[in-house]
Amino acid sequence: MPSLPVILTGDRTTGPLHLGHYAGSLRNRVALQHGHRQTLLLADAQALTDNAHDPARIARNVIEVATDYLAVGIDPALTTICVQSALPALAELTLLYLNFVTVARLERNPTIKDEIQARGFGRDIPAGFLCYPAAQAADITAFRATLVPVGEDQAPLIEQANEIVRRLNRQVGYDLLPEARALIPEVGRLPGADGRAKMSKSGGNALPLSAPDAEIAAFVQRMYTDPGHLRASDPGRVEGNVVFTYLDAFDPDPEAVAALKIRYRRGGLGDAALKERLAGVLRDLLGPIRERRAGIARDPDAVRDVLRTGTARARALTAETLGAVRDAVGLFRL
Ligand code: TRP
């Protein structure tokens, strides 16, 4: 039997996941776990690269994010869920890869540049942060992943990982490690309720997966529509209208949404009715996730067991890759 394509992706454990993660990655992963060998990495070590002042928060959120995974339908029988900081092979590979990349190249990485800007590091960039692309290359290659589902913003990291792989392969003279391809979802990033480009917890415009119905309603209520659409009878704009963006992303009945767009453009559909539909769609989506999440959260030891099993499996796999790389590079063997 041909082996299944290998997927690796992960999340920094900085906080519980939200609806933006669901649209951009979680629901894809639930589908991808069939027909692929999928591993999800709880990237707590990477989260420390810009949160070293608060390791307790990063540690606490390992269980939170794992609980989110299970609540949306990631099945540990199909997907390996593991903890980055508990995989020493990743740290060892990172150390080696740092010699295959220059500081100038790290500084030129568009993702790193944007993130340095966004975090306001100025000249005080933690070295671990600047170097995390090498660590991410270690993550990807340690699992010999060829597919990496990530948001568009992560594409330069996959490119940089491939550069490291090519340098290493050229040096050893054969394809020791595979290159990987970014799998970027078609639905772009979900805007926040205020229409800003991205739903984010730090931006204060994120809807957590565990949001109760009242929070869902309030979130939809704040949503930006068309400022020129004052009365229900006025013609309204669909483009840039956040409510429609969300209906496109989540409404299970796209034909009904198409009909609503026609009515909205023509005039005769009020924002209140439109928002009521979206609130219903989100209640139907998040209600079952919230309930499953609450059930799982009552038994954190069971979640811990899932992580122990997944991490043990990942430890064996990543140690094997590390051994192959050490041999190929020709490190001293004691
Ligand atoms: N950098 C990713 C993010 O911020 C998280 C991550 C860590 C990751 N290691 C990875 C993603 C390996 C894909 C592959 O979301």
Side-chain angles (χ1 to χ4, degrees), residues 32-97:
L32 288 167
Q33 64 186 341
H34 304 279
H36 298 86
R37 193 137 58 75
Q38 178 167 261
T39 299
L40 300 183
L41 193 61
L42 294 156
D44 59 340
Q46 189 179 109
L48 280 182
T49 64
D50 62 338
N51 288 281
H53 57 283
D54 196 1
R57 175 167 140 243
I58 302 306
R60 192 168 60 243
N61 282 302
V62 168
I63 293 286
E64 293 299 317
V65 175
T67 303
D68 287 330
Y69 287 171
L70 299 173
V72 299
I74 297 291
D75 176 355
L78 298 171
T79 296
T80 300
I81 306 175
C82 59
V83 181
Q84 189 180 40
S85 68
L87 299 170
L90 300 182
E92 288 189 49
L93 281 174
T94 302
L95 199 56
L96 181 67
Y97 291 175

Side-chain angles (χ1 to χ4, degrees), residues 151-216:
E152 206 174 350
D153 61 308
Q154 296 277 305
L157 292 167
I158 315 304
E159 187 43 45
Q160 194 160 9
N162 286 336
E163 277 178 36
I164 293 173
V165 166
R166 285 194 291 269
R167 274 202 62 179
L168 198 63
N169 286 348
R170 202 176 331 119
Q171 177 162 320
V172 302
Y174 66 97
D175 285 347
L176 170 64
L177 295 169
E179 291 188 42
R181 189 160 61 81
L183 274 185
I184 295 166
E186 266 169 48
V187 209
R189 278 188 181 271
L190 210 55
D194 56 4
R196 268 182 298 160
K198 177 176 162 182
M199 178 182 284
S200 74
K201 196 159 51 71
S202 51
N205 60 9
L207 187 64
L209 290 176
S210 55
D213 285 351
E215 189 175 349
I216 296 173

Side-chain angles (χ1 to χ4, degrees), residues 8-12 41 43 46 132 136 139-140 148 150 154:
L8 176 87
T9 188
D11 296 285
R12 297 179 186 192
L41 193 61
Q46 189 179 109
Y132 93 73
Q136 193 150 323
D139 298 343
I140 295 166
V148 186
V150 281
Q154 296 277 305

